[in-house]
């Protein structure tokens, strides 16, 4: 058995014996559905804009229509995308009877569309909107295709994308819940993240502190490789479906 085969077998065994799994995902998962990262999407007409003009509250207040159009374009791209094999395999893991929580840095909603029912969206969701002045989420039926921000029905302030912009805190309670679950899980699967964006990147450390196994999947080296129980090189769509169990938990499973 080669080293790669041994690592794959160990990852499979760790997940086969895990009743509670936290799956932590980043942009590498969505990229395989054709969704570029935020900075990669700054192309064409958008290449001349400073990211802070498009992803800060100050930038939105300075030019609401500009920022709204940028996110409308990204929403349209997300709407055309479909969950890929990695999204679907993660969702299918729930159907084996395991408790599965997906903690994601992605804002595209593809995990939910694939069928995952417990998703912690650390950076919000591009498919939702909320009041700029804090009234709360936009009601059903808000105009996703408007060329200017629709008004909040409660106060008249513009709606804004329900994503976490630079300098903003994460959604209340999201990180705390994710950190707690990482420490309680029987295994943590980390897929498609560089491990550089804080505070999200600290979540695998929570698992390590509680001596939980961490499996890292990425085609490139990451900042999390040194803490991984098992590190697997490869794309999300090629590796994730091959290591996730399709049957019920095996109480006798153990790492080889």
């Amino acid at each position: 058995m080669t080293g790669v085969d041994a690592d794959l077998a160990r990852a499979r065994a760790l997940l086969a014996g895990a009743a509670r799994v936290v799956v932590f995902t980043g942009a590498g998962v969505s990229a395989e559905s054709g969704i570029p990262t935020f900075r990669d999407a700054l192309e064409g007409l958008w290449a001349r804009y400073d990211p802070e003009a498009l992803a800060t509250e100050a930038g939105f207040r300075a030019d609401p229509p500009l920022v709204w159009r940028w996110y409308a374009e990204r929403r349209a791209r997300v709407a055309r995308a479909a969950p890929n094999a990695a999204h679907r395999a993660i969702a299918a893991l729930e159907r084996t009877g395991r408790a599965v929580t997906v903690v994601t840095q992605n804002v595209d909603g593809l995990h939910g569309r694939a069928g995952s029912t417990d998703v912690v969206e650390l950076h919000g969701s591009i498919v939702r909107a909320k009041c700029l002045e804090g009234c709360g989420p936009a009601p059903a039926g808000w105009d996703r295709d408007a060329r200017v921000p629709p008004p909040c029905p409660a106060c008249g302030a513009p709606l804004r994308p329900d994503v976490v912009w630079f300098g903003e805190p994460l959604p209340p309670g999201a990180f705390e819940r994710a950190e707690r679950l990482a420490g309680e899980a029987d295994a943590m699967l980390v897929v498609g993240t560089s491990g550089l964006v804080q505070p999200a990147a600290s979540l695998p450390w929570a698992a390590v502190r509680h001596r939980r196994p961490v499996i890292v999947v990425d085609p490139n080296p990451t900042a999390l490789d040194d803490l991984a129980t098992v590190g697997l090189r490869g794309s999300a769509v090629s590796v994730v479906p091959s290591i996730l169990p399709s049957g019920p938990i095996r109480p006798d499973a153990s790492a080889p």
Side-chain angles (χ1 to χ4, degrees), residues 129-145:
K130 64 181 181 180
C131 174
L132 177 64
E133 301 300 343
C135 290
W142 61 277
D143 189 354
R144 297 170 185 266
D145 300 319

Side-chain angles (χ1 to χ4, degrees), residues 69-90:
R69 288 196 302 273
W70 159 245
Y71 282 91
E73 182 176 298
R74 294 185 71 203
R75 274 197 303 276
R77 191 162 189 167
V78 165
R80 294 192 297 269
N84 59 50
H87 293 111
R88 296 193 297 272
I90 293 165

Side-chain angles (χ1 to χ4, degrees), residues 9-226:
R10 190 177 185 200
R12 291 187 189 110
L14 288 168
L15 291 164
R20 298 169 298 177
V21 180
V22 170
V23 184
F24 176 41
T25 67
V29 177
S30 292
E32 297 190 65
S33 287
I35 298 175
T37 65
F38 175 82
R39 292 183 185 276
D40 287 343
L42 293 172
E43 57 188 12
L45 294 174
W46 300 105
R48 59 192 175 95
Y49 290 99
D50 184 325
E52 293 205 4
L54 300 171
T56 61
E57 182 176 322
F60 183 80
R61 289 185 182 276
D63 196 339
L66 172 73
V67 177
W68 187 263
R69 288 196 302 273
W70 159 245
Y71 282 91
E73 182 176 298
R74 294 185 71 203
R75 274 197 303 276
R77 191 162 189 167
V78 165
R80 294 192 297 269
N84 59 50
H87 293 111
R88 296 193 297 272
I90 293 165
L93 187 61
E94 286 188 39
R95 298 194 287 275
T96 67
R98 292 169 174 80
V100 181
T101 299
V102 178
V103 180
T104 187
Q105 296 168 284
N106 301 329
V107 298
D108 48 55
L110 289 179
H111 282 296
R113 286 168 56 189
S116 292
T117 62
D118 186 10
V119 182
V120 180
E121 294 173 319
L122 290 177
H123 296 162
S125 172
I126 200 171
V127 301
R128 298 193 302 265
K130 64 181 181 180
C131 174
L132 177 64
E133 301 300 343
C135 290
W142 61 277
D143 189 354
R144 297 170 185 266
D145 300 319
R147 301 301 293 171
V148 296
C152 168
C155 72
L159 296 180
R160 54 157 283 183
D162 192 4
V163 297
V164 176
W165 282 332
F166 296 130
E168 293 185 332
L170 301 186
F175 180 80
E176 292 77 10
R177 178 169 185 257
E179 186 176 44
R180 174 177 60 79
L181 291 173
E184 295 173 351
D186 297 314
M188 185 176 199
L189 175 62
V190 181
V191 188
T193 177
S194 65
L196 297 174
V197 178
Q198 295 292 355
S202 68
L203 289 173
W205 289 98
V208 170
R209 285 196 302 272
H210 289 83
R211 299 185 179 182
R212 310 298 183 178
V214 176
I215 301 156
V216 175
V217 177
D218 202 277
N220 304 304
T222 80
L224 303 174
D225 291 348
D226 288 343

